[in-house]
């Protein structure tokens, strides 16, 4: 059903919207974390160069503050790395960080050693270790950037796929809404708002269609027209609301008594019509009597018994739609004049 489908699609759109929001949030969080790693590794890289220059310029002065800053930066990088090692880039990054930490520990040891004996040999070894630390830190920067770019591409594919699903779902919702509105308008234009039966507009269209079928296939078609006897008294005595309930009950009862091929219409205030395709006058008269007797036997709340008068007419070649209807209406008028609660046939 359109309403059920709309609810499902609305749920899908809601889930997709929440998923998109989560993807954006998670992406921003991951990119911020990666940016901090790249920044920290870059600071480590520059800090090691600065530390080397300071130590070589003044071997006697200890650089404990700068060393502690680099220690803290390397620790922060280590915390931010995914140590589940589920991805190849994560493994390579973790290995690079281990190598950086190892080389950094060696560099700190050489710094301490150079503090006590700053010969050319120790200076050369310290310089080589500094360059090795710089390379390891640079490798961490490169691998983090590569991992971030790969992550952005992967998340972009997921994001655009979810966005496409969301767009398709919205289009489907709009299409279903438009279809539902169109179907509703079509229904309201062809159905009676009170009883749900087809209305006069639909009656005219169906009458023309059956007349065309008769002209082509020579199939019999008959028409029954009936209304409620003394219905004005019902409205005057019991009110229009009770009168509307009677009309709805009559519509339900009539619909339950006809064949699937017969069509029941409400064509006026208390006037109904039944179009009977492939049915001659005798068959239509039997159906009319069946409806009349069923209504007479029914007891209506507060009102009691009600009766209807019915007119039956068969279609003949050459008649217009209006003439066909008028013949049935004349038979109904005859039934009214002959005492009501009866069926008359137009001859």
């Amino acid at each position: 059903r359109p309403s059920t489908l709309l609810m499902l699609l609305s749920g899908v759109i809601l889930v997709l919207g929440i998923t998109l929001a989560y993807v954006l949030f998670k992406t921003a969080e991951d990119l911020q974390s990666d940016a901090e790693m790249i920044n920290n590794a870059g600071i480590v890289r520059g800090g090691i160069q600065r530390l080397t220059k300071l130590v070589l310029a003044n071997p006697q002065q200890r650089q404990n503050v700068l060393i502690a800053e680099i220690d803290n930066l390397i620790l922060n990088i280590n915390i931010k790395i995914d140590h589940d090692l589920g991805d190849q880039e994560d493994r390579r990054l973790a290995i690079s960080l281990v190598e950086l930490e190892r080389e950094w520990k060696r560099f700190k040891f050489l710094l301490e050693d150079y503090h006590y004996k700053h010969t050319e040999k120790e200076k050369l070894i310290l310089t080589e270790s500094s360059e090795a630390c710089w390379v390891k830190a640079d490798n961490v920067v490169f691998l983090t950037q590569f991992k971030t770019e790969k992550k952005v591409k992967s998340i972009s594919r997921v994001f655009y796929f979810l966005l496409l699903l969301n767009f398709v779902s919205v289009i489907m919702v709009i299409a279903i809404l438009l279809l539902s509105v169109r179907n509703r308008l079509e229904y309201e234009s062809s159905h009676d708002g009170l009883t749900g039966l087809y209305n006069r507009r639909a009656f005219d269209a169906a009458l023309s269609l059956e007349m065309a079928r008769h002209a082509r296939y020579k199939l019999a078609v008959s028409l029954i027209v009936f209304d409620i006897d003394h219905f004005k008294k019902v409205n005057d005595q019991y009110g229009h609301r009770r009168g509307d309930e009677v009309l709805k009950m009559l519509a339900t009862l009539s619909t339950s008594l006809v064949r699937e091929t017969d069509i029941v219409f409400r064509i006026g205030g208390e006037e109904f019509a039944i179009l009977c395709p492939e049915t001659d006058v005798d068959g239509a008269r039997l159906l009319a009597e069946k409806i009349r007797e069923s209504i007479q036997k029914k007891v209506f709340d507060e009102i009691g018994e009600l009766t209807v008068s019915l007119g039956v007419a068969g279609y003949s070649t050459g008649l217009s739609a209006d003439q066909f209807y008028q013949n049935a209406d004349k038979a109904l008028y005859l039934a009214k004049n002959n005492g009501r609660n009866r069926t008359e046939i137009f001859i």
Side-chain angles (χ1 to χ4, degrees):
R1 294 177 55 186
S3 57
T4 303
L5 189 56
L6 278 174
M7 290 179 62
L8 289 174
L9 285 174
S10 299
V12 169
I13 293 173
L14 178 63
V15 171
L16 288 174
I18 294 173
T19 305
L20 281 171
Y22 174 77
V23 168
L24 288 174
F25 173 77
K26 190 64 178 176
T27 300
E29 190 178 60
D30 289 346
L31 292 180
Q32 183 179 0
S33 177
D34 291 346
E36 290 179 3
M37 286 176 58
I38 293 171
N39 184 60
N40 289 344
I43 295 174
V44 168
R45 185 175 57 186
I48 291 172
Q49 286 183 319
R50 180 185 171 204
L51 179 61
T52 303
K53 290 178 180 179
L54 290 173
V55 170
L56 292 180
N58 187 0
Q60 300 297 329
Q61 185 177 0
R62 296 179 179 274
Q63 304 294 331
N64 294 333
V65 175
L66 185 55
I67 291 172
E69 289 178 358
I70 296 174
D71 278 336
N72 187 53
L73 288 170
I74 292 176
L75 177 62
N76 286 335
I77 296 172
N78 189 22
I79 291 173
K80 292 181 179 299
I81 287 181
D82 185 0
H83 288 280
D84 292 339
L85 303 181
D87 188 82
Q88 184 177 356
E89 278 68 32
D90 286 332
R91 290 195 293 270
R92 291 172 61 189
L93 187 57
I95 292 172
S96 295
L97 181 60
V98 170
E99 292 176 350
L100 173 60
E101 290 176 326
R102 185 185 300 123
E103 192 61 42
W104 169 243
K105 289 179 181 178
R106 179 172 178 270
F107 180 74
K108 288 193 293 183
F109 175 78
L110 293 174
L111 278 177
E112 191 66 25
D113 191 46
Y114 186 69
H115 179 71
Y116 293 104
K117 46 180 183 177
H118 32 276
T119 64
E120 286 298 321
K121 180 180 179 182
E122 275 72 24
K123 180 179 180 181
L124 179 61
I125 294 172
L126 182 65
T127 303
E128 291 175 348
S129 178
S130 172
E131 291 176 353
C133 281
W134 189 94
V135 170
K136 300 300 182 184
D138 188 65
N139 197 33
V140 171
V141 172
F142 172 77
L143 289 174
T144 304
Q145 288 175 333
F146 180 77
K147 176 187 174 184
T148 301
E149 291 173 0
K150 183 178 178 181
K151 185 188 299 180
V152 169
K153 290 180 181 178
S154 177
I155 291 175
S156 295
R157 287 193 293 269
V158 173
F159 177 80
Y160 286 120
F161 176 72
L162 291 174
L163 195 62
L164 178 62
L165 284 181
N166 200 57
F167 176 76
V168 171
S169 298
V170 170
I171 293 297
M172 290 180 66
V173 167
I174 294 173
I176 292 172
L177 284 174
L178 291 176
L179 185 62
S180 298
V181 169
R182 190 191 71 178
N183 290 341
R184 187 64 186 175
L185 290 174
E186 289 180 351
Y187 178 87
E188 290 179 354
S189 68
S190 60
H191 287 73
D192 174 55
L194 176 65
T195 61
L197 296 177
Y198 286 105
N199 60 18
R200 182 58 185 258
R201 180 181 178 183
F203 172 72
D204 292 338
L207 206 60
S208 298
L209 178 62
E210 289 304 321
M211 288 166 57
R213 291 180 69 233
H214 171 83
R216 182 171 184 178
Y217 302 109
K218 307 304 177 184
L219 298 174
V221 56
S222 297
L223 177 63
I224 302 172
V225 177
F226 67 95
D227 68 8
I228 306 171
D229 296 329
H230 306 295
F231 185 67
K232 186 177 182 301
K233 292 182 179 179
V234 174
N235 283 329
D236 293 342
Q237 185 173 351
Y238 300 100
H240 287 279
R241 179 173 295 181
R242 178 62 65 187
D244 289 345
E245 291 177 2
V246 169
L247 291 174
K248 289 190 285 186
M249 294 174 67
L250 222 63
T252 302
L253 181 59
S254 301
T255 304
S256 68
L257 295 172
V258 301
R259 302 172 304 172
E260 290 184 3
T261 54
D262 298 331
I263 312 173
V264 184
F265 304 85
R266 183 188 178 199
I267 57 176
E270 71 273 17
E271 188 173 357
F272 297 83
I274 303 174
L275 187 59
C276 307
E278 302 180 28
T279 305
D280 57 19
V281 173
D282 291 333
R285 185 185 63 80
L286 291 175
L287 175 59
E289 278 295 293
K290 181 180 179 181
I291 292 172
R292 186 189 65 79
E293 291 172 359
S294 297
I295 293 173
Q296 186 179 13
K297 292 176 181 177
K298 185 171 181 60
V299 178
F300 294 85
D301 294 341
E302 295 184 20
I303 300 172
E305 295 182 357
L306 289 174
T307 61
V308 294
S309 299
L310 307 96
V312 180
Y315 180 71
S316 301
T317 304
L319 289 177
S320 66
D322 187 59
Q323 288 172 332
F324 186 23
Y325 167 72
Q326 289 298 330
N327 289 343
D329 193 53
K330 289 176 182 177
L332 171 61
Y333 184 76
L334 183 61
K336 292 285 188 182
N337 284 342
N338 288 339
R340 293 185 171 84
N341 188 24
R342 60 187 295 116
T343 300
E344 294 289 350
I345 301 175
F346 177 81
I347 301 176

